[in-house]
Amino acid sequence: MTNYDAIDNNIALDLGATVSAGVASQVGSINCVPISDAVSGTAVACYVKGVITHAVTAVDDMGNAAVSVGDKLYLNSGVLNVDSVTGGTAFGVALEDVTSGATATIRVKIEQY
């Protein structure tokens, strides 16, 4: 039998850079969001699963593109969008819509791929 009581939604990680609390980040292939400001060389508690609110920009590889509920979001130089080709790395799933070309703070489900 598996003991699910030991599973937590955050872990301590060294992000390898100075990162403000609440900014979508990655450590290797681990998608995370630091709970407090992070400094390189020091582990900080980070959310690795669950739902966060984060700015999402409605653009893709070709330009402006609406974000719809259920769209996969990619982290690209600190920005979440629907751009999968130009440097984007899968991060999570949009739980709200964003109008084409706009940036809005929406709920995002963190995924580990």
Side-chain angles (χ1 to χ4, degrees), residues 5 9 14 21 23 28 33 36 54 61 64 75-76 84 94 107 113:
D5 293 340
N9 69 341
D14 179 353
V23 175
V33 176
S36 59
H54 201 282
D61 307 322
N64 294 339
L75 183 61
N76 189 345
S84 62
R107 293 176 304 135
Y113 295 97

Side-chain angles (χ1 to χ4, degrees), residues 26 28 31 60-61 73-91:
Q26 291 177 316
N31 293 321
D60 68 6
D61 307 322
L73 297 174
Y74 298 84
L75 183 61
N76 189 345
S77 299
V79 176
L80 291 179
N81 58 35
V82 287
D83 177 2
S84 62
V85 175
T86 314
T89 306
F91 185 86

Side-chain angles (χ1 to χ4, degrees), residues 10 20 25 33 44 50-51 53 60 63 66 68 76-77 91 99:
N10 66 68
S20 296
S25 304
V33 176
V44 63
V51 176
T53 55
D60 68 6
S68 298
N76 189 345
S77 299
F91 185 86
T99 304

Side-chain angles (χ1 to χ4, degrees), residues 22-44:
V23 175
S25 304
Q26 291 177 316
V27 177
S29 62
I30 301 171
N31 293 321
C32 58
V33 176
I35 296 171
S36 59
D37 292 347
V39 178
S40 182
T42 303
V44 63

